[in-house]
Amino acid sequence: MLGADLQSLLGSRIPADHSHAVLADSYAAAWLARPDRPPAPEVLDLGCGAGDSVDLFRSLEPRVRWTGADIAESPEVAERTRSDARFVTFDGERLPFGDASFDLVYCKQVLEHVRRPGPLLAEVARVLRPGGTLAGSTSHLEAFHSRSVWNYTPYGLMLLLEEAGLELVEVRPVIDAFTLVAWRALGTPRFFYRWWARESPPYRAISLVARVARWDHRTVNTAKLTLSGQFAFLAHRPDAGQ
């Protein structure tokens, strides 16, 4: 089975409920739909860039208290024009917030640009409230882009999170590496945008094989993660009281 070694390492962290590709946005929506989340949640977009995720969060929960944090110099920050939200600048490693300040840290396609991810993830653990959530996505087999410095495996990210005091809950495929590399190689034509909203051709081929071979969803997710260009992740800070 493709990715059997990955499945043996991650186990139930690879979900078995469905095998559709997802975006980090899905985790934001699912978290805000939880009945146990605070009525006016404190959310940090780590590596917020232009700050566009504030629209997503406000559309889902108007009472959200959204903060965007990013380094001073990045191509995405340079494009920021909005002033209707709270933005802070930091050095890429030390977050300028008190302990247990946030219920959710959202980190979409950021970690591959962080030079020292270990210390930053430790800071994420510090600013999250006990039981708080880290949700986002990162690159696995993606070509160089926007000063990227790393590509992660799902297993490697799990180890980094554990060293920082966080627990990986699940990982899901976003888009396959073949489609993503072709998109980069061709100059990112808009035609490829469709594959973030629906299953890309290589993932569709995996799904066809899965139907013939009668794979379960966890097996399909494992195969897609093994060949993913990006993957989404969900983690949390353990609650010491539990």
Side-chain angles (χ1 to χ4, degrees), residues 170-207:
E170 67 175 45
V171 288
R172 293 185 184 269
V174 174
I175 190 170
D176 71 275
F178 305 105
T179 300
L180 191 54
V181 168
W183 182 62
R184 298 283 182 198
L186 295 174
T188 64
R190 295 189 63 84
F191 172 81
F192 279 77
Y193 287 8
R194 69 182 65 190
W195 307 127
W196 272 267
R198 57 183 173 176
E199 197 168 49
S200 60
Y203 277 174
R204 192 178 304 157
I206 291 174
S207 294

Side-chain angles (χ1 to χ4, degrees), residues 14-80:
I14 301 178
D17 56 344
H18 70 78
S19 50
H20 306 302
V22 302
L23 298 175
D25 310 43
S26 301
Y27 282 139
W31 186 86
L32 286 170
R34 284 171 43 176
D36 61 339
R37 58 93 170 160
E42 295 280 357
V43 172
L44 172 65
D45 184 336
L46 180 61
C48 64
D52 293 338
S53 85
V54 69
D55 295 324
L56 168 66
F57 281 96
R58 286 176 178 170
S59 69
L60 296 168
E61 174 50 77
R63 295 171 294 176
V64 70
R65 297 170 181 169
W66 185 97
T67 299
D70 212 325
I71 60 174
E73 296 182 3
S74 79
E76 293 75 19
V77 169
E79 295 175 358
R80 186 191 302 157

Side-chain angles (χ1 to χ4, degrees), residues 7 20 34 56 74 77 105 110 115 127 144 146 150-151 159 193 196-197 206 220 233 238:
Q7 188 177 107
H20 306 302
R34 284 171 43 176
L56 168 66
S74 79
V77 169
V105 174
V110 172
R115 292 183 64 182
V127 303
F144 176 79
S146 188
W150 309 111
N151 272 3
L159 295 180
Y193 287 8
W196 272 267
I206 291 174
V220 180
F233 59 86

